[in-house]
Amino acid sequence: MIHKFAFSRFTSRAAMALALAGGAMFATTAQAQDYSRSFREAYAPVAEATSGENADWAAARDQFDGVLAAIENDDDRNAAGNMALMIGNNLNDPTWQRRGLELMLESGKVEPERIGQFQFFVGNLAYNAKDYEAARTALQAALAAGYTENDPQGLIIETYLQEDNVPAAVSYIEELQPQFAAEGRTIPVSWIERTLGAAYSNDMYDESIALSKALVKADPSKDGWLKSLQVVGAIRQLDPQVELDLLRLMRETDALSNRAEYIRYIEALDPRIMSNEVLPVMTEAVDAGLIDTGDNYYVEVKSIADARASADRSNTDATFSEGQSGDALDAMGSANVMWSIGDYARAETLYQAAADKGGDVNEAMTRKGMAQVMQGKYDEAVATLGQVTGARKPVADMWVLYAEQKAG
C-alpha cells in the first residue's frame, strides 16, 4: 500500500553538477586576490602538482594539510576550498567535495546566487555520508537562500526517517503544509506515503492519523482516500459502530475494495435495523464481484433485509415521531433508520435529539455531521464534526476533510 520514496536522483544530479562545477564554475589556482604570503607559499606546490597533462591529484591531496594550516583570511579559505573541491572531483571522493564546498561557503566569497546550490550539494553529500543532522542544516540553508531545485524538503524528510525519527518527519510535513498551500502547491504524495509507511510499520497511531489526513489533502482522488481510510481503519481496532461510519465514508469516496470490508459494513448495519442501507451496499458488492448471489450469506441477509425494508420506508413518519417523543435510545435508533432510507434532514434532527436526551454525544455529533454532509451543508457539518472527541475523532476528522473537499 505504501510506496518507498527513493532519493537516488539527488545523488546523480548533485554529482553531475559538481563535475561541471569543477570545470567551468571554479578556478583551480590562486588568482590575484588578497592571499597571505604563507598561503601562497603552501599553495604553490599543490597548484604545481595539479597543472598540466600529468596532474597528480593524489599528491595534491597529500600536501593539502599544509594549505589548510596556512589559511589567514577569507580569500585564502576560498582558494583552499576550491582546491579541495577539485581534488574531490578528480579523485571521485565525496568527502573532499564536501570539504571544499564547506570551506568556500565559510569564506563568504561564494556569489549570492550560488549559495543555495552550494548548500544543497553539501546537504546531499552529508546525507550520503549518513551525517543527517549536518545534511538538514545545509538543506535548510539552501532553502533559506532560495534554492528549490531537486526537492530539498523531501531530502530533509528522509534524513529524519533514516534516523528513525518519524515524529520529526511528520512535524516537518505539517510545517510545510501551510507554506505549500500559500504557494498554491500540495505536499508531494510520495513524501507523505514514505513517511506514512514508516509510521504505520512502527505502530505510531497519532502520526499515522496525521499523515492519513495529509495524504487526502495532497491526493483527494479515490486512490488517496483508499490508502488513507485503510490506515485509519487498520492502525487501531475500531468499535464496529465507529468503523461503520468509516466504511460509510469509504463508500462515499469509492474506496471500498474487498469482500471483508463489505461484510463488516453489512454486519455493523444489521439488516434487521438498517435494511434500506444494507440492500444497496450488497448490490454494490455483487456488482464489484466481491459477493456472489448464490452465497448462503447473501441469500440469508437479503431475505431479512427485503422483509424489513418496505416496512421502514412506509412508516417513516411514525418512526420520526417515536424518535422525537422517546428517550435517547429511541432518538438514535430512529435517526439510524432515517439515515438508512436517505432521509438525511430528519436523521440530522434526531441525532441532535439523541444528544440532547443524554445519548452518546460523540456518536450523535458524528452522525449528525455526516447527515449534514449528505445534504450539502458542508460548513455546518465541519462545525458539528469538530465537536467530536475520543475514539470517534479520527473518523470524524476524515469526514471533515471530505466535507471540505466537497465544498471546494
Side-chain angles (χ1 to χ4, degrees):
M1 181 180 68
I2 304 300
H3 305 289
K4 186 175 181 180
F5 183 28
F7 282 87
S8 58
R9 65 182 185 278
F10 292 113
T11 303
S12 60
R13 288 184 182 178
M16 182 182 298
L18 284 169
L20 293 172
M25 292 171 64
F26 304 106
T28 61
T29 60
Q31 308 257 327
Q33 302 292 330
D34 185 20
Y35 301 119
S36 65
R37 176 178 294 181
S38 62
F39 181 79
R40 288 175 182 273
E41 293 173 353
Y43 190 92
V46 176
E48 179 66 24
T50 60
S51 63
E53 294 182 1
N54 298 315
D56 189 344
W57 293 99
R61 177 192 61 198
D62 295 341
Q63 298 178 68
F64 195 76
D65 284 348
V67 174
L68 285 177
I71 292 174
E72 293 185 9
N73 60 45
D74 286 335
D75 283 323
D76 295 349
R77 186 169 288 104
N78 187 46
N82 178 60
M83 178 56 74
L85 176 61
M86 293 297 297
I87 291 170
N89 286 345
N90 283 278
L91 296 180
N92 195 27
D93 189 329
T95 299
W96 279 82
Q97 290 174 328
R98 177 182 170 188
R99 188 180 198 183
L101 290 167
E102 288 177 337
L103 281 168
M104 295 176 78
L105 286 165
E106 289 169 12
S107 77
K109 297 294 184 176
V110 176
E111 297 91 332
E113 65 272 16
R114 290 178 177 162
I115 289 175
Q117 184 185 47
F118 279 34
Q119 291 285 11
F120 174 78
F121 293 156
V122 171
N124 182 82
L125 291 164
Y127 174 83
N128 289 339
K130 303 186 187 305
D131 189 353
Y132 300 122
E133 184 174 355
R136 281 193 295 275
T137 298
L139 292 166
Q140 293 284 15
L143 287 165
Y147 185 84
T148 57
E149 296 178 35
N150 301 312
D151 299 328
Q153 298 100 329
L155 193 51
I156 289 172
I157 292 168
E158 190 66 16
T159 65
Y160 287 122
L161 296 180
Q162 292 299 322
E163 293 175 328
D164 292 325
N165 191 353
V166 179
V170 176
S171 295
Y172 185 63
I173 289 174
E174 291 177 332
E175 177 186 326
L176 290 177
Q177 283 181 316
Q179 173 190 327
F180 274 58
E183 297 170 357
R185 299 189 292 156
T186 57
I187 304 292
V189 170
S190 55
W191 301 0
I192 301 171
E193 288 187 346
R194 169 76 174 100
T195 311
L196 178 54
Y200 184 80
S201 295
N202 287 282
D203 296 321
M204 295 180 174
Y205 179 78
D206 291 338
E207 290 80 5
S208 295
I209 296 299
L211 288 165
S212 294
K213 297 176 188 177
L215 180 56
V216 167
K217 291 179 181 178
D219 180 16
S221 69
K222 170 185 174 180
D223 189 53
W225 279 106
L226 171 63
K227 293 173 181 176
S228 297
L229 295 176
Q230 283 184 336
V231 169
V232 173
I235 189 65
R236 186 173 291 177
Q237 185 171 358
L238 299 175
D239 176 88
Q241 286 300 303
V242 177
E243 186 185 30
L244 171 59
D245 294 336
L246 180 72
L247 292 166
R248 283 167 161 164
L249 182 54
M250 293 181 77
R251 183 185 178 203
E252 286 301 310
T253 56
D254 197 23
L256 289 169
S257 61
N258 59 66
R259 176 185 173 90
E261 289 170 347
Y262 277 102
I263 296 298
R264 294 199 305 274
Y265 194 158
I266 293 165
E267 293 299 311
L269 287 171
D270 192 334
R272 298 166 300 177
I273 300 174
M274 288 180 272
S275 55
N276 283 285
E277 188 174 355
V278 166
L279 290 172
V281 169
M282 289 183 65
T283 298
E284 290 170 18
V286 169
D287 291 343
L290 299 173
I291 294 180
D292 191 286
T293 55
D295 286 352
N296 289 335
Y297 177 80
Y298 174 87
V299 173
E300 180 181 354
V301 171
K302 189 172 187 303
S303 175
I304 296 170
D306 281 339
R308 177 79 188 201
S310 60
D312 285 345
R313 287 195 303 271
S314 63
N315 293 313
T316 55
D317 290 341
T319 300
F320 182 67
S321 296
E322 289 173 7
Q324 285 187 308
S325 60
D327 59 16
L329 289 175
D330 294 326
M332 182 62 72
S334 295
N336 288 335
V337 172
M338 291 297 162
W339 170 282
S340 72
I341 64 175
D343 190 341
Y344 301 116
R346 289 204 283 187
E348 175 189 352
T349 299
L350 290 174
Y351 285 130
Q352 182 62 57
D356 293 341
K357 294 171 185 284
D360 184 330
V361 173
N362 287 317
E363 180 180 10
M365 290 301 99
T366 299
R367 291 183 174 172
K368 176 184 175 182
M370 290 162 53
Q372 290 170 327
V373 171
M374 301 303 288
Q375 295 174 76
K377 298 161 66 172
Y378 302 123
D379 290 343
E380 293 176 48
V382 170
T384 300
L385 292 161
Q387 301 174 44
V388 178
T389 61
R392 281 187 168 274
K393 181 172 173 55
V395 174
D397 286 349
M398 298 307 287
W399 273 95
V400 167
L401 293 178
Y402 180 63
E404 291 172 342
Q405 178 182 326
K406 295 290 286 185

